[in-house]
């Protein structure tokens, strides 16, 4: 199975400051169709996960543009340009290139 | 709008089975793969498997092979997942999600306890 490794596992950020989460995969996530199926999810306390970013850098509908995804191959990053109070929660990367799909361990974001 | 509404919480004894439902609306159910993901208390997300649009193709994570069965009913736009031989470690919230995991259900808590 592809192992997804996130860092850091927790993040304490001052409101209005940037945040960055790294996600590394144990093998390339480039699929045979040329796409890279790396997604980012946000899970607010007590809620279901919500997809924020798909195929590395594409925003889902309604996602604020302060969130951005980047990366390629095995190395990916989720950035929040200015953290807001509603961003508190756990963030997961997930690869959908290889079966079984696998998630990172999650990164808990809190406000300092 | 896309909605996935799951069945209610369940309490089961070790060794029993549980069948969870997920009713879809707001999209053409018959054309989408559907996934199941679980989350143990205080833990991360774990992908369990996927069923194809026609219901005749399924892929399960290795650790669930033989204990998990996914089915679907196009006439009611509902996908089901049955987990058998339940053990305490199966206590978790189980989520259904549409293909590419772009929409999720609200989750179903399954508690396995004697």
């Amino acid at each position: 199975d592809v192992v997804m490794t996130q860092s850091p596992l927790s993040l304490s950020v001052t409101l209005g400051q940037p945040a960055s989460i790294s996600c590394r995969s144990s093998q390339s996530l480039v699929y045979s169709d040329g796409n890279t199926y790396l997604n980012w999810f946000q899970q607010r306390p007590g809620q279901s996960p919500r997809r924020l970013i798909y195929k590395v850098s594409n925003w889902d509908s309604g996602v604020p543009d302060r969130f951005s995804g980047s990366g390629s191959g095995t190395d990916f990053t989720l950035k929040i340009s200015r953290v807001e109070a509603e961003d508190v929660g756990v963030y997961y990367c997930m690869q959908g290139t290889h079966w079984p799909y696998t998630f990172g361990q999650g990164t808990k974001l809190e406000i300092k | 709008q896309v909605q996935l509404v799951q069945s209610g919480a369940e309490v089961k004894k070790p060794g029993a089975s549980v069948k969870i439902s997920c009713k879809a609306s707001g999209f053409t159910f018959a054309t989408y793969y559907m996934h199941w993901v679980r989350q143990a208390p205080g833990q991360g997300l774990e992908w369990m498997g996927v069923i194809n649009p026609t219901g005749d193709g399924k892929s399960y994570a290795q650790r669930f092979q033989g204990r998990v069965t996914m089915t679907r009913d196009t006439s009611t736009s509902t996908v089901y997942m049955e987990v058998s031989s339940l053990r305490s470690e199966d206590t978790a919230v189980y989520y259904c999600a549409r293909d590419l995991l772009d929409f999720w259900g609200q989750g179903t808590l399954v508690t396995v306890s004697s």
Side-chain angles (χ1 to χ4, degrees):
Chain A
D1 296 0
V2 177
V3 177
M4 305 296 288
T5 303
Q6 288 183 228
S7 64
L9 298 185
S10 66
L11 208 44
S12 184
V13 182
T14 301
L15 287 173
Q17 293 301 301
S20 181
I21 301 171
S22 170
C23 176
R24 289 193 167 93
S25 58
S26 61
Q27 56 185 276
S28 173
L29 299 186
V30 180
Y31 189 54
S32 54
D33 64 3
N35 288 309
T36 300
Y37 293 95
L38 185 283
N39 303 323
W40 289 96
F41 297 87
Q42 175 194 61
Q43 187 174 31
R44 291 172 172 152
Q47 295 187 12
S48 299
R50 167 199 182 194
R51 198 179 71 178
L52 297 176
I53 301 281
Y54 64 97
K55 287 194 285 185
V56 181
S57 59
N58 297 277
W59 286 285
D60 271 283
S61 177
V63 173
D65 61 6
R66 63 178 183 276
F67 289 92
S68 64
S70 63
S72 63
T74 62
D75 202 346
F76 306 93
T77 303
L78 175 71
K79 291 183 178 175
I80 309 173
S81 58
R82 295 173 306 280
V83 169
E84 297 189 6
E86 66 178 19
D87 300 336
V88 165
V90 181
Y91 292 81
Y92 296 92
C93 60
M94 186 214 81
Q95 67 82 20
T97 296
H98 306 281
W99 279 357
Y101 292 0
T102 45
F103 290 89
Q105 316 96 301
T107 295
K108 186 173 185 178
L109 175 67
E110 64 174 25
I111 304 300
K112 193 181 293 184
Chain B
Q1 72 282 22
V2 174
Q3 280 197 303
L4 297 172
V5 179
Q6 298 183 222
S7 49
E10 303 263 11
V11 179
K12 296 291 183 182
K13 293 195 182 306
S17 296
V18 67
K19 190 171 185 177
I20 305 166
S21 67
C22 168
K23 184 171 176 60
S25 61
F27 64 99
T28 307
F29 177 74
T31 63
Y32 280 84
Y33 287 71
M34 295 295 294
H35 298 254
W36 289 91
V37 175
R38 79 176 186 181
Q39 185 171 38
Q43 301 300 308
L45 301 170
E46 181 176 28
W47 183 81
M48 298 182 69
V50 62
I51 183 168
N52 72 354
T54 52
D56 58 356
K58 302 144 195 184
S59 179
Y60 303 134
Q62 181 79 20
R63 64 176 294 180
F64 300 112
Q65 290 274 3
R67 281 209 307 137
V68 165
T69 304
M70 296 178 187
T71 56
R72 62 193 294 161
D73 181 347
T74 302
S75 68
T76 60
S77 299
T78 303
V79 62
Y80 302 91
M81 182 178 66
E82 184 170 20
V83 185
S84 62
S85 302
L86 287 166
R87 31 207 190 231
S88 59
E89 309 88 87
D90 294 317
T91 294
V93 176
Y94 291 78
Y95 295 100
C96 63
R98 199 175 72 162
D99 194 21
L100 303 179
L101 284 79
D102 58 355
F103 287 94
W104 295 59
Q106 83 277 21
T108 297
L109 175 62
V110 175
T111 303
V112 183
S113 173
S114 55

